[in-house]
Amino acid sequence: MTLNYIFNAYWYKCRFNLIILILLNFINSMIPIVSIYLFQKLISEIMTFIQNPNSARALMVIFSLQIISNIIPFVFNHLLNINNQIIENKISLETTSLILKKVKNLDYLNFESPSFYDSFQRVSSNTNNIVESVNHLILLISHIISAISVLAYLLTINWIIVFIIALGVIPYTLMSIKFNEKNFNLINRLMPITRKEQYFVNLLINRGTLKEIMLFNAFDFLKSKWKKEFLVLSEKKLNFIKNKSKMLFSTELIILLTFSLAGLVIISDFKNSNMAADLVAAIQSIQLFQTSLNNIAKSYSDFKGTLIFIEDYMNFIRINNLANSRELTKIEKLYSLEIRNLYFKYPNNHLETLKGISFKINNGKKIAIVGDNGSGKTTLIKCITGLYLNENLPIFINGIPIKDIDIESLRERMSVLFQDFISYELTVRENIGISRIGDMDDNTKLQNVAKKVNLLEVINGLNNQFDSLLGRYFEGGNELSGGQWQKIALGRALFRESDLIILDEPTAALDPISEKEILEEILNECEKSIIIVTHRLGIASLADEILVMKNGQVVERGTHDELLSINGEYKKMYDSQAHWYSFQRGVLR
Ligand code: ADP
């Protein structure tokens, strides 16, 4: 199965390079035995030449062949290097693309679990194993060819030598395989620490995080945390290498001993012979045979080692994703979205985060969701946008259960902006247009949106207007203020041609005037359905229906005036905010 997968990957992506790889390695594997043969011939020709200086021609021919046999591996190794890089480029592109394709199709719920990140990181940082595995396999075959060619010669001298040497290599092979498995297990076990160590490094080198760390003088504190993880990792890795060396040392010693023993046997075989060339060739052959067996053992255990990583990779690629065999309904237009008694629990939580939520949105209705921190507002948004694809979620799109909906087509009809939106280090055009890529070059549409979010003036003031680079990560970028970035993100949400806009705290970074102007325009003028999560009751009051959430439940619902008259949670929130904003007339109604 695994081999089949690897073979297919090579066959479809780089069969020409695979053939070159096999061919060059095959020729390379024959070179040592040819060299030994030529060396043996060379010695006898030298002997003849000493006795008869006129017979130089044969000597010169053998000598030239010897030189050629030395040059071939040298040239081939360079060609192999280039060929290997080409293969690595093609296969890495394929494996990494497959991982990314997998990420695109995965249930987002996976990304809420630390163990998923462990496996994800392990897989994504070991993509070179497919290339490695084929290299080891081909080397293994070359070494086997090399060993067989020399074996045929050695068997004509003494089969006991073959037996002794073969026996000596077995412990090494077994031990290497064992340590390759241990290596995989170690990487597995250390992954949470590795991720932690990388997390601290990222905190300490990232522009976004460094600002706060420096101002709180927290650099050394975090550095010491990084160092602690780093030292744990270093120690575990060192112990592993020490153990491995200790165990492999003794098995390599066995190889050395069996080699010496085989040497003694061969010397005793030749003790009555005066054929120096044959003796030298025999000793070289023993050495070659032993090296070949050694290499076979090493390639085999390395090959087995890479297979473990490839199986891991394949398991990851095979994780169930949202694609299923059922016929899925494509959504051309989103008329209604309904939730009926929704319960939801995160994989690592004991308690349910959402408990029995129901509501329906259609025909350009505007719903505001308000509630304390942690009451479940964002979780609810993640559920209704199809990020969590639990088959049983009671969400209905145009009356059809979400499990029967083609999610990509559903997402086409939605425009969602979370509070932790992305500030892309790209141009203004791309930052806004990424939500509707086909219209990214339409300046009129971009300008309309920029006007709605009060950004047109700022954009016109930039060197290249819509083609100005934003951010500070790349040379020539223009940094924006937090509020301006938020306006860009809002523009992105509005630019999308959707039927439902979902905004999760979309104006936290805006000044009150901009907030009022932009949201009034969106909520009053926009014909699309809108769900808006907000803390600001002034904004909520513009909605047709307000849902008040508390501890994962909708505890109150109605219009602004209805909710005020109930004199419950909403009224409490209203009173506290009225007190807070009382001097900002016009922002809070
Ligand atoms: P809100 O948006 O109303 O502030 P959230 O929906 O973000 O609230 O969170 C609701 C509850 O769910 C919180 O108690 C939070 O701890 C929990 N929660 C949020 N995200 C996760 C997650 N990825 N895994 C586990 N629990 C989570």
Side-chain angles (χ1 to χ4, degrees):
M1 183 71 192
T2 313
L3 281 179
N4 199 10
Y5 179 82
I6 301 171
F7 179 76
N8 276 340
Y10 265 69
W11 195 245
Y12 290 111
K13 292 296 157 191
C14 48
R15 71 184 71 159
F16 173 73
N17 300 89
L18 176 66
I19 292 167
I20 299 270
L21 181 70
I22 295 173
L23 212 64
L24 296 192
N25 269 301
F26 176 75
I27 300 173
N28 255 353
S29 66
M30 298 305 289
I31 296 286
I33 188 72
V34 172
S35 284
I36 290 177
Y37 172 77
L38 289 175
F39 190 65
Q40 184 187 15
K41 280 269 167 244
L42 191 69
I43 293 178
S44 20
E45 286 304 330
I46 289 172
M47 299 281 202
T48 322
F49 178 69
I50 292 168
Q51 282 156 17
N52 176 12
N54 291 331
S55 64
R57 201 163 163 269
L59 177 61
M60 288 317 288
V61 171
I62 298 287
F63 186 64
S64 310
L65 288 176
Q66 177 86 13
I67 289 175
I68 292 171
S69 79
N70 283 341
I71 290 175
I72 288 176
F74 159 76
V75 174
F76 278 14
N77 283 342
H78 281 286
L79 289 178
L80 275 170
N81 270 348
I82 298 171
N83 195 54
N84 279 350
Q85 189 59 52
I86 296 172
I87 292 178
E88 193 182 316
N89 291 351
K90 291 185 176 170
I91 297 292
S92 295
L93 180 67
E94 172 69 5
T95 45
T96 312
S97 302
L98 271 179
I99 293 177
L100 293 179
K101 187 171 160 208
K102 184 77 213 171
V103 168
K104 183 183 168 211
N105 288 319
L106 271 179
D107 185 343
Y108 185 75
L109 200 54
N110 284 301
F111 293 89
E112 307 285 6
S113 140
S115 61
F116 170 80
Y117 283 100
D118 289 347
S119 104
F120 182 59
Q121 175 139 355
R122 199 180 53 232
V123 165
S124 50
S125 53
N126 285 296
T127 50
N128 59 336
N129 274 295
I130 293 193
V131 176
E132 299 268 305
S133 74
V134 172
N135 283 345
H136 291 316
L137 182 63
I138 288 172
L139 276 179
L140 174 66
I141 296 168
S142 326
H143 295 318
I144 290 175
I145 295 171
S146 199
I148 290 174
S149 60
V150 74
L151 176 72
Y153 174 72
L154 277 179
L155 281 176
T156 63
I157 305 175
N158 191 336
W159 67 269
I160 296 175
I161 303 168
V162 176
F163 180 71
I164 295 173
I165 295 174
L167 209 64
V169 171
I170 292 172
Y172 173 83
T173 316
L174 296 178
M175 201 53 82
S176 299
I177 292 173
K178 188 173 146 196
F179 269 96
N180 276 329
E181 273 166 23
K182 281 191 168 190
N183 182 36
F184 176 78
N185 293 336
L186 182 77
I187 290 179
N188 237 347
R189 255 186 305 147
L190 293 187
M191 194 44 85
I193 309 176
T194 310
R195 286 205 304 115
K196 220 181 237 182
E197 188 251 348
Q198 283 173 5
Y199 169 72
F200 287 121
V201 170
N202 287 340
L203 275 185
L204 294 171
I205 60 168
N206 193 310
R207 180 175 82 108
T209 47
L210 256 184
K211 180 175 56 187
E212 182 178 315
I213 293 169
M214 281 177 164
L215 291 177
F216 277 129
N217 278 342
F219 196 95
D220 288 338
F221 169 75
L222 291 168
K223 191 175 142 226
S224 70
K225 279 189 154 305
W226 158 77
K227 196 172 166 188
K228 189 174 145 228
E229 306 301 338
F230 181 86
L231 291 179
V232 172
L233 283 179
S234 316
E235 196 194 327
K236 301 250 185 228
K237 285 182 195 163
L238 183 62
N239 282 344
F240 176 77
I241 292 292
K242 275 186 189 163
N243 255 334
K244 184 175 170 180
S245 290
K246 213 164 35 186
M247 299 310 285
L248 287 188
F249 176 78
S250 44
T251 57
E252 278 163 359
L253 211 59
I254 295 175
I255 291 178
L256 213 63
L257 288 176
T258 49
F259 173 63
S260 315
L261 194 61
L264 287 178
V265 173
I266 210 108
I267 288 170
S268 72
D269 263 9
F270 278 82
K271 72 173 181 275
N272 296 324
S273 149
N274 54 4
M275 302 281 286
D278 290 352
L279 178 61
V280 171
I283 291 180
Q284 276 188 338
S285 305
I286 294 176
Q287 200 160 20
L288 176 60
F289 185 57
Q290 206 215 359
T291 314
S292 303
L293 287 191
N294 238 359
N295 287 338
I296 289 174
K298 186 166 173 4
S299 308
Y300 178 67
S301 70
D302 286 348
F303 173 64
K304 290 273 285 180
T306 53
L307 284 190
I308 306 175
F309 282 97
I310 297 171
E311 275 158 23
D312 189 39
Y313 167 82
M314 287 172 65
N315 286 338
F316 178 81
I317 294 293
R318 279 197 226 112
I319 300 176
N320 280 342
N321 58 19
L322 28 138
N324 58 32
S325 49
R326 273 176 296 128
E327 188 71 17
L328 297 175
T329 307
K330 277 200 176 357
I331 297 291
E332 304 293 337
K333 190 161 173 61
L334 197 159
Y335 298 104
S336 72
L337 185 151
E338 188 179 0
I339 293 172
R340 298 180 196 153
N341 204 20
L342 168 67
Y343 282 79
F344 178 82
K345 189 171 90 62
Y346 283 104
N348 301 323
N349 280 6
H350 302 299
L351 299 174
E352 252 133 0
T353 296
L354 300 178
K355 300 164 212 155
I357 309 255
S358 302
F359 72 86
K360 183 172 183 179
I361 182 160
N362 55 6
N363 302 332
K365 190 172 163 186
K366 317 283 187 273
I367 292 187
I369 304 176
V370 299
D372 302 337
N373 292 333
S375 56
K377 303 181 295 295
T378 300
T379 307
L380 176 62
I381 298 297
K382 285 182 181 165
C383 286
I384 60 181
T385 47
L387 279 177
Y388 300 150
L389 283 153
N390 182 330
E391 291 260 305
N392 304 318
L393 288 188
I395 299 171
F396 299 83
I397 309 295
N398 300 346
I400 306 165
I402 198 164
K403 67 176 166 43
D404 297 329
I405 299 282
D406 177 288
I407 285 295
E408 248 179 59
S409 74
L410 171 64
R411 288 185 185 150
E412 280 293 313
R413 307 312 310 161
M414 283 183 177
S415 183
V416 189
L417 177 65
F418 284 103
Q419 42 194 324
D420 52 350
F421 58 86
I422 308 180
S423 302
Y424 295 99
E425 308 269 340
L426 298 172
T427 61
V428 180
R429 179 186 302 286
E430 290 162 329
N431 258 289
I432 296 177
I434 201 164
S435 63
R436 189 175 166 186
I437 290 161
D439 286 340
M440 199 185 261
D441 293 328
D442 189 328
N443 279 351
T444 317
K445 285 183 181 153
L446 283 172
Q447 277 166 353
N448 280 341
V449 161
K451 228 183 270 169
K452 279 189 189 153
V453 294
N454 284 346
L455 259 188
L456 196 54
E457 221 172 289
V458 175
I459 295 170
N460 284 337
L462 297 172
N463 278 349
N464 297 311
Q465 287 78 46
F466 280 100
D467 293 309
S468 313
L469 186 66
L470 296 183
R472 270 274 168 261
Y473 197 61
F474 301 114
E475 198 58 44
N478 302 273
E479 185 55 304
L480 299 180
S481 73
Q484 287 168 335
W485 272 117
Q486 189 149 42
K487 287 180 184 176
I488 289 272
L490 262 168
R492 187 184 307 147
L494 298 181
F495 191 68
R496 192 166 176 81
E497 195 189 14
S498 57
D499 307 312
L500 171 64
I501 300 182
I502 299 178
L503 305 170
D504 184 357
E505 295 287 353
T507 52
L510 298 193
D511 61 80
I513 313 259
S514 302
E515 181 182 37
K516 175 178 155 46
E517 282 175 9
I518 295 174
L519 285 178
E520 270 186 359
E521 154 114 17
I522 294 177
L523 286 161
N524 291 334
E525 310 298 326
C526 185
E527 288 170 1
K528 300 173 183 180
S529 305
I530 297 179
I531 297 176
I532 182 165
V533 173
T534 181
H535 277 110
R536 315 267 170 99
L537 301 194
I539 296 165
S541 65
L542 301 173
D544 302 317
E545 186 179 15
I546 302 168
L547 308 182
V548 184
M549 287 189 67
K550 195 170 179 161
N551 297 328
Q553 286 174 310
V554 174
V555 289
E556 286 169 18
R557 64 172 69 207
T559 62
H560 177 69
D561 294 333
E562 284 165 0
L563 290 178
L564 284 185
S565 65
I566 295 174
N567 211 4
E569 285 298 323
Y570 187 80
K571 178 72 167 52
K572 254 194 252 165
M573 288 165 76
Y574 180 82
D575 286 344
S576 67
Q577 290 197 9
H579 165 71
W580 189 249
Y581 289 115
S582 56
F583 57 92
Q584 288 177 0
R585 271 190 294 132
V587 173
L588 192 74
R589 291 200 332 186

